[in-house]
Every structure is written in structure tokens, then in C-alpha cells.
């Protein structure tokens, strides 16, 4: 009786596996095909963003004589009681502006000429400011949210004025109507290719992505269902292979035509396909398995150890400077002069020992157990679409999370942090999804060939599945 029940249960389970793979697979195969094609595009074109060097490149060089207000005076004017998280000086058109980011609360901007608070920047003002650097710049529209500014990180800056530079790249800049700050740039190439890349790959359509919790649930459910369909297909595909009692004419597979393509491509690319779908599901951080990457404000305040609002270093006029950054590192003032290509000069250069002493205050209850100066990229510090800073100081602690920090030794800037879960995420998502293993990254053509190869195999499996499913649907509807 128990054996009969077991056989009956096995047949019932097998039937449902076939039904799930057959009918739900029609939709998921179309989704797989989209993912494979868009994934190849994403190898070469990233979703639009704005690097610090790019942002400075859109600004005029500092007008030194126009700066009439000292940084500590600017902080007092906006009511700062302590040194803020960041303070920088840059141009807004013809006016030098201090930009203040407190540890809590909204960012502030005020004129370095007369202390006037910068707010409610109009489209005409944004256009006039940009024309100081790009005379052909023209206002396009003001948006609350669009395809390229859909994420929540732009919320403090909304609404956004879109300005076309009318350059060869057809660049469009997004300028905050709140403060006049440039927060995003896109080019025609990015806008075109992302409709074939990141947008379909991430299901990143504006109405859906604007609701972050809903978007996350949609991606998790679609990925989860896709995992079930792919796993069932792999199991069925293996079951249909005969190595000993072969099919007619010695064939290993019973299928012909599109079914044969689907069978073999699905089996050959099965491991990669499943790895990509599972890692894509993991990218959404299901059940909050992976920690946040944000540093606690208290840790940053200890690291800076600013004694007050007074900043003792004088400003020295230098050509080609597009931004000044005022900061503290372990109680030592640091003044950075930056241009579009990065750091130009620094006042009060921190020593390696001073950076290390400051770094130990990030987690005062833990003991440093790792300290190394990376001269080359490794598995946890490497470039993809953006170049990583090298050399970089890595310091790790014996806290329960086994936290690491990466610090720029030139100025003490904290470039990133990762604990054990984020290092796990690097393997569970980045490695499985992007194949960014060192032996492939060091030979870019090999990395491209491998990803192209597996993508084409996956596309063959999914496209053949779409054809098979469409034909089966037609027969059902016509019969």
C-alpha cells in the first residue's frame, strides 16, 4: 500500500512539474530571453549616474576673489552647532557657494559672497548658471521624477531642472531646484542603450520603480518563480536523457526541431542559467540577509574628531580648482583642492600612522585584526564601470560583523565599508551574476567571450522555449 501511494505521489508530482514547466515556462522563457539580451548590453553600458569627477567637470573653476565668507562663518550662519558630515565650496554659475551636509537633516547651500541661503532655484537661474560653463546649454523641462531620476536618492533634490548642453554626446544635466546642485547627467548613448539594457533587465520602468517596496516584491516574485521553472526544466531535461537504452538511431534525446534545441541548450547552460536567476533573486536582499552599507553618523564623527566650527587652514588660490573640501581627520584639519580629474593638492597631508589611528576609532569596542595597503585590485576591491582608487588602505576589525573599511591614504576619505555579509554578497551576487572572477577580469576579452557564450546558450534555450510555448498555445486555442 505504501509503495503504491509513493508511486502515485511521484506520478502526481512529476505531472505537476511538467505542467509548471510547460505553461509557466512560456512567460518565463520570454523573460529569460529579455534578461540574456539586456545582460549583454549591461556589460558595456551602465545605468546613468554622476561621478564626483564628472560633477566637478560641469562646474566653472573657482572664482577666488568672489569668496568673501570663511567656512566657519558659513556654518554659523546656517545654525550648525558642530562640524557637519561634509562641507565643500564650488561655483553656482558666477557665484561661489558653500554646500553643507549635516549628519542629520537636509543639505544646505549658501553664498560664499554674502551668506545668502540658496533655495528655490528657478529654471531660468539654473540655465543661466550652466551657460557660464556651457554657453549652448538650454533648459528642457522640470521634472518631479523620470526614468533616469526615479530612485529615492534624488528625493531631497526634487523637483529637477533638465538642461541640454547641446554637445556632441547630447548630454542632459539634472539640476536640483532646491539648491542648484548638479545631481545627474545622461548622454544619448546611455539613454538609448539602457532601454535595451538596465531598464528591461531590472524591470526598471518608472511607474513601478517609483514604488520601491512594490518593485522589490515584483522582482523577488518573478525571480522566485523563474527559479522554480528553471529547476524543474533541468530536472526534466536530465530525466529525458538516455545514455544506455538510447532512443531511435542512437539519439540521446527524444526530441526534434525546436524541442531538441530547447533540450540541449537548456542542459548545457543549466548551471549558468540557474546561477544567474538565483543571484538575481539574491540581489534584492531577500529576508534582509545582507547588511546595509551605510556608516553610522557616530562612527564618522569619531573618525573626524572635529574640535569645533573653526577651520584653521587658510584658503590659497590655485588655478584649475573646481571644488574645495573642508574636513577633519582624527582632529587634524584637511583641505582638499579638486579638479575634474580628482585631487590636485591637499593642505596638511595626513600621515599613514595618523590615518590608522583615526580608523581605529570607527569601531572603538573592536580590535583591528587586518591592516594592508592594496597596490592592486583584488577580489573585494576592483573596477567595473568605474575605476577604483589605488593604493587603498584596508583595515579590518574583530567585531561580530567582521567589518572592513577601505580608506584613501592620500586624504583619509572613507571609500567604502563591508562586513562579512557584504563580502558574502560579493560572491553570491556579483560573482555568480557578473562572473567577475580575478582570472577573467585580468583578461577582459576572455571575460567577454565567456559571458557572450553563456548568454547565447541561454538565449537559445529561452527563445526555443518561447517558440514551443507559442505553438502549444495556438494549438490549445484553435482546438
Amino acid at each position: 500500500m505504501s509503495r503504491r501511494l509513493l508511486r502515485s505521489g511521484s506520478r502526481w508530482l512529476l505531472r505537476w512539474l511538467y505542467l509548471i514547466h510547460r505553461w509557466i515556462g512560456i512567460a518565463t522563457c520570454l523573460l529569460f530571453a529579455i534578461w540574456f539580451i539586456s545582460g549583454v548590453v549591461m556589460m558595456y553600458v551602465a545605468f546613468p549616474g554622476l561621478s564626483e569627477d564628472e560633477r566637478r567637470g560641469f562646474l566653472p573653476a573657482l572664482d577666488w576673489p568672489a569668496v568673501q565668507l570663511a567656512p566657519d562663518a558659513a556654518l554659523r550662519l546656517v545654525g550648525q552647532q558642530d562640524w557637519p558630515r561634509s562641507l565643500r565650496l564650488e561655483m553656482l554659475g558666477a557665484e561661489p557657494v558653500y554646500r553643507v551636509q549635516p549628519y542629520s537633516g537636509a543639505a544646505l547651500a549658501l553664498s560664499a559672497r554674502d551668506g545668502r541661503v540658496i533655495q528655490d532655484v528657478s529654471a531660468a537661474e539654473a540655465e543661466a548658471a550652466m551657460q557660464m560653463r556651457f554657453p549652448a546649454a538650454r533648459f528642457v523641462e522640470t521634472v518631479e521624477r523620470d526614468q533616469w531620476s526615479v530612485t529615492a536618492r534624488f528625493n531631497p533634490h526634487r523637483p529637477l531642472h533638465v538642461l541640454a548642453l547641446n554637445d556632441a554626446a547630447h548630454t542632459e544635466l539634472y539640476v536640483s531646484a532646491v539648491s542648484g546642485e548638479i545631481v545627474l547627467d545622461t548622454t544619448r548613448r546611455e539613454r538609448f542603450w539602457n532601454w535595451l539594457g538596465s531598464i528591461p533587465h531590472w524591470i526598471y520602468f518608472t511607474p513601478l520603480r517609483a514604488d520601491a517596496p512594490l518593485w522589490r516584491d515584483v522582482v523577488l516574485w518573478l525571480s522566485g518563480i523563474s527559479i522554480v521553472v528553471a529547476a524543474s526544466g533541468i530536472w526534466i531535461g536530465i530525466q529525458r536523457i538516455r545514455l544506455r537504452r538510447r532512443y531511435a538511431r542512437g539519439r540521446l534525446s527524444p526530441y526534434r526541431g525546436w524541442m531538441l534545441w530547447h533540450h540541449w541548450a537548456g542542459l548545457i547552460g543549466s548551471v549558468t542559467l540557474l546561477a544567474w536567476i538565483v543571484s538575481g533573486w539574491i540581489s534584492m536582499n531577500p529576508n534582509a540577509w545582507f547588511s546595509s552599507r551605510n556608516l553610522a553618523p557616530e562612527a564618522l564623527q569619531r573618525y573626524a574628531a572635529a574640535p569645533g566650527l573653526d577651520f584653521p587652514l587658510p584658503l590659497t588660490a590655485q588655478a584649475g580648482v573646481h571644488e574645495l573640501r573642508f574636513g577633519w581627520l582624527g582632529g587634524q584639519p584637511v583641505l582638499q583642492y579638486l579638479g575634474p580629474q580628482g585631487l590636485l593638492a591637499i593642505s596638511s597631508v595626513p600621515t599613514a600612522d595618523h590615518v590608522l589611528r583615526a580608523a581605529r576609532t570607527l569601531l572603538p569596542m573592536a580590535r583591528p585584526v587586518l591592516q594592508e595597503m592594496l597596490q592592486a585590485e583584488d577580489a573585494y576591491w576592483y573596477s567595473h564601470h568605474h575605476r577604483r582608487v589605488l593604493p587603498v588602505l584596508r583595515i579590518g576589525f574583530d567585531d561580530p560583523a567582521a567589518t572592513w573599511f577601505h580608506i584613501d591614504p592620500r586624504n583619509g576619505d572613507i571609500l567604502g565599508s563591508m562586513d562579512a555579509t557584504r563580502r558574502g554578497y560579493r560572491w553570491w551576487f556579483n560573482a555568480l551574476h557578473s562572473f567577475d572572477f580575478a582570472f577573467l577580469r585580468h583578461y577582459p576579452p576572455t571575460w567577454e567571450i565567456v559571458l557572450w557564450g553563456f548568454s547565447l546558450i541561454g538565449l537559445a534555450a529561452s527563445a526555443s522555449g518561447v517558440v514551443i510555448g507559442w505553438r502549444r498555445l495556438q494549438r490549445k486555442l484553435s482546438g
Side-chain angles (χ1 to χ4, degrees):
M1 182 67 178
S2 60
R3 289 182 179 179
R4 190 178 302 118
L5 285 173
L6 185 60
R7 285 196 297 271
S8 176
S10 297
R11 285 194 296 270
W12 179 87
L13 178 61
L14 183 61
R15 173 176 171 75
W16 274 102
L17 278 176
Y18 272 94
L19 288 173
I20 288 171
H21 187 72
R22 178 179 296 168
W23 296 112
I24 300 179
I26 295 173
T28 54
C29 275
L30 181 59
L31 190 60
F32 292 159
I34 292 171
W35 279 342
F36 285 120
I37 295 170
S38 58
V40 169
V41 174
M42 292 173 67
M43 291 166 57
Y44 304 100
V45 183
F47 194 76
L50 182 71
S51 70
E52 288 294 285
D53 288 348
E54 287 175 329
R55 182 183 58 78
R56 285 188 292 267
F58 293 126
L59 300 173
L62 277 174
D63 181 0
W64 294 96
V67 179
Q68 300 296 312
L69 195 66
D72 42 7
L75 293 176
R76 290 186 173 89
L77 278 175
V78 294
Q80 279 291 126
Q81 301 298 314
D82 302 297
W83 193 265
R85 182 171 187 151
S86 72
L87 174 65
R88 66 179 195 266
L89 174 65
E90 61 187 40
M91 299 299 292
L92 175 57
E95 186 162 31
V97 171
Y98 282 107
R99 299 200 179 277
V100 186
Q101 179 60 66
Y103 281 101
S104 61
L108 305 165
L110 71 159
S111 168
R113 178 182 286 134
D114 55 22
R116 184 183 78 262
V117 174
I118 306 296
Q119 57 186 353
D120 300 326
V121 176
S122 69
E125 290 171 325
E127 182 183 68
M130 192 52 57
Q131 287 173 345
M132 294 289 297
R133 181 77 170 84
F134 301 94
R138 293 292 182 270
F139 169 73
V140 176
E141 61 178 335
T142 298
V143 299
E144 187 65 31
R145 186 189 306 270
D146 70 0
Q147 184 64 62
W148 317 114
S149 60
V150 67
T151 57
R153 69 186 181 91
F154 295 104
N155 288 350
H157 306 287
R158 304 186 196 279
L160 305 170
H161 301 309
V162 183
L163 300 166
L165 297 189
N166 293 305
D167 58 351
H170 294 267
T171 305
E172 291 184 352
L173 299 184
Y174 288 64
V175 177
S176 171
V178 177
S179 64
E181 182 177 1
I182 300 170
V183 296
L184 178 66
D185 76 315
T186 69
T187 63
R188 182 167 64 180
R189 175 177 178 269
E190 290 174 330
R191 293 189 294 272
F192 173 81
W193 284 109
N194 268 278
W195 282 106
L196 302 175
S198 298
I199 294 171
H201 197 85
W202 296 337
I203 317 175
Y204 227 61
F205 304 102
T206 305
L208 176 62
R209 185 59 184 88
D211 187 339
L214 175 62
W215 170 74
R216 181 176 181 275
D217 287 343
V218 167
V219 175
L220 279 171
W221 276 102
L222 284 177
S223 300
I225 292 169
S226 298
I227 291 170
V228 173
V229 171
S232 66
I234 292 169
W235 189 87
I236 292 168
I238 293 172
Q239 294 297 310
R240 300 297 285 167
I241 287 288
R242 285 187 184 176
L243 297 176
R244 293 183 178 179
R245 296 176 57 249
R246 298 192 177 189
Y247 298 97
R249 298 180 182 178
R251 290 184 290 112
L252 300 177
S253 170
Y255 303 116
R256 295 177 183 275
W258 284 105
M259 282 293 292
L260 184 64
W261 275 97
H262 187 65
H263 191 196
W264 281 118
L267 283 178
I268 294 170
S270 60
V271 175
T272 305
L273 172 63
L274 200 56
W276 279 343
I277 301 170
V278 170
S279 58
W281 180 74
I282 286 174
S283 73
M284 302 308 297
N285 193 12
N287 301 313
W289 288 334
F290 305 100
S291 64
S292 167
R293 286 169 285 187
N294 295 326
L295 278 170
E298 297 79 12
L300 293 174
Q301 287 175 306
R302 289 193 300 269
Y303 183 68
L309 293 182
D310 293 331
F311 195 78
L313 298 180
L315 277 60
T316 304
Q318 295 188 29
V321 174
H322 289 225
E323 177 184 285
L324 284 181
R325 286 190 185 178
F326 306 86
W328 292 85
L329 173 64
Q332 175 182 325
V334 179
L335 176 58
Q336 301 181 58
Y337 297 78
L338 300 117
Q341 280 71 51
L343 186 64
L344 299 175
I346 184 170
S347 299
S348 186
V349 180
T351 65
D353 287 342
H354 188 80
V355 173
L356 283 171
R357 284 196 300 272
R360 293 188 182 106
T361 67
L362 288 165
L363 295 175
M365 304 304 291
R367 183 171 56 91
V369 292
L370 171 66
Q371 177 186 315
E372 57 183 336
M373 189 70 70
L374 297 181
Q375 301 294 337
E377 297 180 357
D378 70 358
Y380 297 101
W381 189 257
Y382 59 95
S383 305
H384 182 39
H385 285 299
H386 302 288
R387 179 63 57 186
R388 290 286 197 180
V389 170
L390 285 173
V392 67
L393 171 66
R394 175 183 291 159
I395 181 168
F397 292 85
D398 65 354
D399 62 305
T403 307
W404 289 0
F405 295 96
H406 290 99
I407 299 173
D408 189 336
R410 300 171 302 170
N411 50 29
D413 285 353
I414 299 174
L415 303 176
S417 66
M418 57 169 48
D419 62 14
T421 68
R422 297 308 301 185
R423 293 193 291 277
Y425 181 86
R426 180 264 177 277
W427 295 109
W428 283 106
F429 171 62
N430 297 96
L432 290 180
H433 212 71
S434 303
F435 284 15
D436 52 3
F437 302 101
F439 66 92
L440 291 177
R441 285 190 296 103
H442 292 161
Y443 305 98
T446 306
W447 175 76
E448 293 182 55
I449 291 169
V450 169
L451 260 69
W452 268 94
F454 281 117
S455 296
L456 290 173
I457 293 170
L459 182 59
S462 51
S464 58
V466 171
V467 173
I468 295 163
W470 176 246
R471 289 179 174 178
R472 183 173 284 119
L473 273 177
Q474 283 184 312
R475 289 196 299 270
K476 280 286 183 180
L477 294 173
S478 62

